[in-house]
Amino acid sequence: MIKLDVQKKLHGSGGDFELDVQWEITEGEIVAVSGNSGAGKTSLIKIIAGLLKPNSGKILVSDEAWYNKENKINLTPQKRDIGFVFQDYVLFPNMTVRENLEYALPKNNDPKYIDDLLKMVHLENLATQKPNILSGGQKQRIALCRAIIQRPKILLLDEPLAALDTKMRKKLQNDIMNMHSLFKPTILIVSHDPAEIVHLASEMIILENGKITCKNKPIEIFREETNSLQITLKGIIIAKDDQFITLFADNRVQRIPVSQTELDYLQKGDEVSITSSEWTLTSSKN
Amino acid sequence: MNAFWEPLILSVKLASIATLLLFMIGSFWVYVLSMYSFVGKSLLKALVSVPLVLPPTVLGYYLLISFHKEALVGSFFDQLFNVQLAFSFEGLVIASLIFSLPFMVNPMLSAIENLPVSFKESAFTLGKSKINTFLKVMIPNIKPAIVAACVMSFAHTIGEFGVILMIGGNIPGETRVASVAIYNEVEALNYNTADSYSLILLFFSILVLTLVYIFNNKKISSAKVI
């Protein structure tokens, strides 16, 4: 069991607030942390990693204290059994892909393990390349490999897929699932993407201003948020004419009929949402 | 011919030894300032830069006082290594380490502080110590700044005059470096020789700075291509 009870004063764009989180995580699970920007998500996982020191509280991992204010215990990041994947990859530019992994490989481990990991993410042909010629998806896969190479007890992923396109996100989600089934680390993933959370996580919390406002299975949380199926499309008005507005939404230009009052009120460039409760189900499988 | 080249050779010898030692001392200084948080860090940073704003004669005066056999630094070197610092080549080396320290430390420190904090954090989460992170991750990613720091320290040591004259005087073969030799030749109204020394130092300065810019531009443009 991983027991978190941490408090930390944070400075956000909307002013100072206190991160105050009590959370028990079952080891070996994938759990997600969601919430608006500046809610304290990254701070929370940096506190777990030992990169940020809380003001008070305790962190217990399998009954071992990683942090305990009362007993003055604060393990350095080096002594915590963790892997950390940053949103911006943070591969070391002075090292090749293989050297990045070699750097992370614990002493006395078989270097063949690097080849196995590279094969698993289908990047073995890029082993001798420097990271700056790789695409975002390739970089993030290497970052994942580098974080998992030490077989950490806890893998912390800070919005690892946020900068990737949908296709690459799916590939990376599968890589995360594969790594989880192989090494069984507890994975904490910070994410904004409901589909990703539902796909990966067995439990999630939502943070608001540093406090947990919701804790449940992702599917239950999202079910609560929408008790009947409504499809919402966000778009930007690019033109308006007699009784119609032209929207750019879902990567397409759409023409929508509107009332005269709406036409008077809405302006070109406004962001709008269209909600529909009528739908047709079509499989995207080939 | 020998007498003409002697000050130039002495300058290059002084600058080479000083740059080598400065690289080692400067790296340690940068390591402490970039990897640790402690009270008095700003004071330590300020102390490095003091030679930039202090008149060379003031620095030279304090060094001369402290290099005296009765003073702490002077007696330390005298008793331990049997070396007299005032008016000696060894004294010039020690002084060069002090007046050129900001030229080594500041570019390296500024480059390290410009690296993303996540470099350090990432290495820590991989279980790497502070010294390992510094040597394997931070230093290799600031190579252009290290080259610039070494070249600037070398060039500044070659060009220093005030401090050198204060603590080294004008002893041929021992402390008469190129910058002091120019002053000496002008005093003796040997303008032709002073001219030659000055031209050599001028071209050396231009060459050094051009090489630094070429090296750094190459690094930047190769990064852009990728």
Side-chain angles (χ1 to χ4, degrees):
Chain A
M1 209 64 167
I2 297 162
K3 294 177 184 173
L4 302 177
D5 175 10
V6 287
Q7 293 78 42
K8 169 87 180 164
K9 279 195 175 158
L10 297 174
H11 311 285
S13 53
D16 292 356
F17 66 97
E18 191 180 40
L19 178 78
D20 186 0
V21 171
Q22 288 82 36
W23 190 14
E24 289 196 1
I25 303 164
T26 311
E27 285 187 54
E29 295 284 303
I30 302 182
V31 294
V33 182
S34 196
N36 293 332
S37 296
K41 305 182 297 292
T42 298
S43 299
L44 177 64
I45 63 166
K46 281 196 169 181
I47 284 173
I48 299 170
L51 296 170
L52 202 61
K53 192 180 172 188
N55 298 118
S56 61
K58 56 179 86 163
I59 301 171
L60 288 174
V61 179
S62 313
D63 292 329
E64 185 197 0
W66 284 10
Y67 174 80
N68 189 331
K69 170 83 174 176
E70 278 178 18
N71 300 342
K72 292 182 180 169
I73 296 171
N74 185 22
L75 296 190
T76 58
Q78 291 90 338
K79 288 186 179 158
R80 299 184 187 204
D81 194 358
I82 49 150
F84 200 113
V85 176
F86 295 80
Q87 188 182 347
D88 51 354
Y89 328 118
V90 199
L91 296 176
F92 303 128
N94 57 307
M95 303 176 193
T96 62
V97 165
R98 171 173 280 281
E99 285 165 350
N100 263 281
L101 298 179
E102 278 171 352
Y103 182 65
L105 188 70
K107 277 180 190 169
N108 306 323
N109 272 36
D110 188 357
K112 201 182 156 290
Y113 183 39
I114 293 173
D115 300 315
D116 296 341
L117 276 176
L118 285 172
K119 267 183 199 161
M120 191 171 99
V121 294
H122 309 292
L123 292 177
E124 61 269 38
N125 54 339
L126 293 175
T128 54
Q129 300 296 331
K130 287 278 174 74
N132 44 12
I133 68 150
L134 307 186
S135 69
Q138 289 168 332
K139 281 181 192 170
Q140 200 57 296
R141 285 154 128 183
I142 301 299
L144 260 175
C145 291
R146 194 180 61 177
I148 203 80
I149 206 164
Q150 300 191 333
R151 301 181 194 197
K153 195 173 261 179
I154 304 179
L155 184 59
L156 302 159
L157 311 176
D158 187 9
E159 300 191 48
L161 316 179
L164 307 177
D165 59 47
T166 317
K167 204 174 161 189
M168 191 47 70
R169 288 170 88 102
K170 279 189 178 167
K171 278 187 181 173
L172 264 288
Q173 283 170 15
N174 289 337
D175 287 339
I176 292 171
M177 292 297 266
N178 286 341
M179 287 180 181
H180 182 252
S181 59
L182 275 177
F183 308 115
K184 288 284 173 207
T186 307
I187 299 181
L188 252 91
I189 181 166
V190 173
S191 176
H192 287 289
D193 182 355
E196 185 174 295
I197 294 171
V198 171
H199 180 47
L200 293 175
S202 58
E203 189 186 49
M204 77 176 285
I205 58 165
I206 296 177
L207 278 183
E208 268 177 45
N209 279 325
K211 313 280 184 302
I212 296 178
T213 55
C214 202
K215 178 163 58 178
N216 208 336
K217 288 180 179 171
I219 203 151
E220 296 299 329
I221 289 181
F222 293 118
R223 187 176 289 152
E224 276 171 24
E225 284 187 356
T226 54
N227 47 19
S228 65
L229 180 58
Q230 289 189 327
I231 295 159
T232 303
L233 203 61
K234 281 192 174 173
I236 288 175
I237 299 174
I238 51 173
K240 58 178 197 170
D241 51 59
D242 198 20
Q243 296 179 355
F244 285 93
I245 57 166
T246 309
L247 278 179
F248 186 75
D250 193 26
N251 288 328
R252 281 189 302 167
V253 176
Q254 331 236 12
R255 223 164 116 79
I256 315 266
V258 287
S259 68
Q260 189 56 47
T261 323
E262 285 169 328
L263 203 61
D264 293 341
Y265 173 71
L266 294 169
Q267 298 299 323
K268 194 176 159 185
D270 283 355
E271 196 177 303
V272 290
S273 299
I274 312 157
T275 305
S276 162
S277 48
E278 285 186 24
W279 43 271
T280 311
L281 194 68
T282 314
S283 170
S284 57
K285 278 186 186 173
N286 289 326
Chain B
M1 191 63 182
N2 251 353
F4 175 81
W5 289 107
E6 196 176 61
L8 288 166
I9 292 167
L10 198 62
S11 281
V12 171
K13 184 179 158 192
L14 174 67
S16 305
I17 295 171
T19 304
L20 188 69
L21 293 174
L22 269 171
F23 177 64
M24 293 189 272
I25 296 167
S27 299
F28 175 72
W29 207 286
V30 171
Y31 167 68
V32 172
L33 288 174
S34 62
M35 304 301 279
Y36 292 90
S37 299
F38 52 90
V39 180
K41 195 168 166 177
S42 298
L43 178 68
L44 207 59
K45 278 186 183 177
L47 279 177
V48 175
S49 296
V50 164
L52 291 176
V53 290
L54 207 62
T57 41
V58 175
L59 184 62
Y61 171 73
Y62 282 126
L63 286 173
L64 191 61
I65 299 293
S66 53
F67 283 180
H68 191 268
K69 272 186 181 181
E70 307 292 314
L72 191 70
V73 181
S75 67
F76 174 79
F77 275 87
D78 188 35
Q79 286 172 16
L80 212 66
F81 307 111
N82 197 24
V83 167
Q84 185 200 324
L85 290 182
F87 304 105
S88 71
F89 182 76
E90 289 82 0
L92 293 193
V93 172
I94 303 289
S96 303
L97 297 183
I98 293 166
F99 66 68
S100 288
L101 190 63
F103 293 88
M104 182 62 79
V105 170
N106 289 350
M108 283 174 71
L109 187 61
S110 153
I112 282 213
E113 286 176 343
N114 278 329
L115 288 177
V117 184
S118 48
F119 275 27
K120 208 173 10 178
E121 292 179 336
S122 183
F124 288 172
T125 61
L126 294 172
K128 303 300 171 188
S129 63
K130 286 183 177 178
I131 186 75
N132 182 295
T133 303
F134 183 74
L135 294 175
K136 298 275 177 67
V137 176
M138 314 297 264
I139 287 285
N141 283 303
I142 60 155
K143 273 184 195 160
I146 293 175
V147 172
C150 287
V151 171
M152 292 307 287
S153 303
F154 186 89
H156 185 252
T157 309
I158 293 258
E160 180 56 42
F161 170 73
V163 180
I164 302 242
L165 194 67
M166 287 288 285
I167 60 153
N170 188 6
I171 307 165
E174 181 74 19
T175 62
R176 187 187 289 171
V177 293
S179 55
V180 175
I182 295 170
Y183 174 75
N184 197 46
E185 297 303 333
V186 172
E187 285 267 280
L189 303 177
N190 294 330
Y191 286 101
N192 284 343
T193 321
D195 238 1
S196 306
Y197 283 138
S198 301
L199 269 177
I200 290 170
L201 287 192
L202 176 68
F203 280 114
F204 168 76
S205 306
I206 294 170
L207 180 74
V208 158
L209 289 175
T210 310
L211 286 177
V212 170
Y213 284 121
I214 288 174
F215 181 80
N216 282 345
N217 278 345
K218 264 189 181 175
K219 280 273 171 187
I220 290 164
S221 58
S222 64
K224 273 182 183 168
V225 167
I226 289 162

